């Protein structure tokens, strides 16, 4: 990694997307680990990741979503046991009395239509996501919400160099003297 990248700070979008990706590491879903971060005025309000409702057995603990299925998506007619990351972030904010009106949300996977409706109803009008997900039928409703100015969606990516810098910070101590800084705590 060159010196210029080493000294570059992430943009706010990159920073919050990295936090959403970090939240996804807490996911207990076997099929789609997803993370979400609700942000207002550059401050994190709440985070969420997908998994079964609080108190229920985690899919990763039992090795499946439903007994007898080889994978979570083996039967499309069965609903997911997971509460989506966006819904969990909204629930965390509500549980702790944190207002989300006027906030933004960063998600690793584009919100499904149900989560998008929750996001809009919670007063969040900006959605930043990494990976597209919506199917064609849901896209019609999503696009209508966009045209009605209820929400803005923007796909964002994390540049490889910034991901490598973040990985370096995760893998190595960060609070060490870095040549030239003689400040002591």
């Amino acid at each position: 990694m060159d010196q210029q990248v080493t000294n570059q700070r992430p943009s706010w979008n990159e920073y919050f997307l990295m936090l959403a990706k970090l939240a996804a590491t807490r996911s207990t879903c076997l099929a789609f680990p997803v993370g979400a971060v609700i942000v207002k005025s550059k401050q994190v309000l709440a985070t969420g990741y997908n998994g079964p409702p609080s108190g229920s057995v985690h899919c990763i603990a039992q090795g499946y979503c439903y007994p007898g299925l080889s994978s979570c998506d083996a039967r499309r007619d069965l609903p997911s046991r997971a509460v989506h990351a966006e819904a969990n972030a909204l629930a965390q904010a509500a549980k702790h009395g944190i207002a989300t009106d006027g906030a933004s949300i960063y998600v690793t996977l584009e919100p499904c239509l149900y989560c998008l409706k929750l996001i809009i109803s919670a007063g969040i009008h900006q959605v930043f996501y990494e990976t597209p997900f919506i199917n064609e039928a849901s896209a019609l409703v999503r696009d209508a919400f966009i045209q009605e100015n209820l929400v803005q969606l923007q796909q964002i990516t994390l540049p490889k160099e910034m991901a490598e810098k973040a990985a370096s910070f995760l893998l190595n101590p960060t609070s060490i003297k870095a040549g030239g800084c003689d400040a002591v705590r």
Side-chain angles (χ1 to χ4, degrees):
M1 196 176 340
D2 67 32
Q3 190 63 30
Q4 185 178 5
V5 171
T6 303
N7 293 330
Q8 182 182 9
R9 291 173 32 166
S11 70
W12 286 109
N13 280 349
E14 291 167 350
Y15 174 67
F16 293 125
L17 178 59
M18 286 191 286
L19 290 178
K21 290 170 82 70
L22 199 55
T25 66
R26 293 278 309 149
S27 171
T28 61
C29 180
L30 294 167
F32 296 106
V34 180
V37 177
I38 300 173
V39 175
K40 187 173 183 178
S41 301
K42 298 179 183 169
Q43 296 294 310
V44 173
L45 301 182
T47 64
Y49 50 88
N50 58 331
S54 196
S56 181
V57 174
H58 296 301
C59 298
I60 59 171
Q62 63 187 12
Y64 55 83
C65 292
Y66 289 103
L69 292 186
S70 59
S71 70
C72 294
D73 57 358
R75 294 242 336 247
R76 296 283 182 189
D77 60 321
L78 293 174
S80 170
R81 291 182 63 238
V83 177
H84 291 183
E86 307 91 322
N88 268 326
L90 289 167
Q92 284 300 310
K95 185 176 182 178
H96 297 285
I98 300 169
T100 57
D101 193 35
S104 300
I105 190 167
Y106 290 79
V107 195
T108 58
L109 185 65
E110 181 181 7
C112 70
L113 190 56
Y114 297 106
C115 285
L116 188 59
K117 292 186 281 187
L118 285 174
I119 288 166
I120 292 167
S121 294
I124 296 173
H125 301 290
Q126 279 190 306
V127 177
F128 298 93
Y129 66 93
E130 181 180 45
T131 305
F133 179 73
I134 289 269
N135 63 37
E136 192 175 326
S138 294
L140 294 171
V141 177
R142 177 205 60 202
D143 293 347
F145 291 155
I146 292 169
Q147 287 179 347
E148 294 170 3
N149 290 319
L150 297 176
V151 69
Q152 297 173 356
L153 282 94
Q154 181 180 342
Q155 185 176 6
I156 58 175
T157 57
L158 185 61
K160 182 180 179 190
E161 298 80 19
M162 191 53 66
E164 288 171 347
K165 180 179 180 180
S168 173
F169 273 59
L170 290 170
L171 295 170
N172 301 294
T174 57
S175 299
I176 57 174
K177 186 177 175 182
C181 181
D182 292 325
V184 244
R185 285 189 168 240

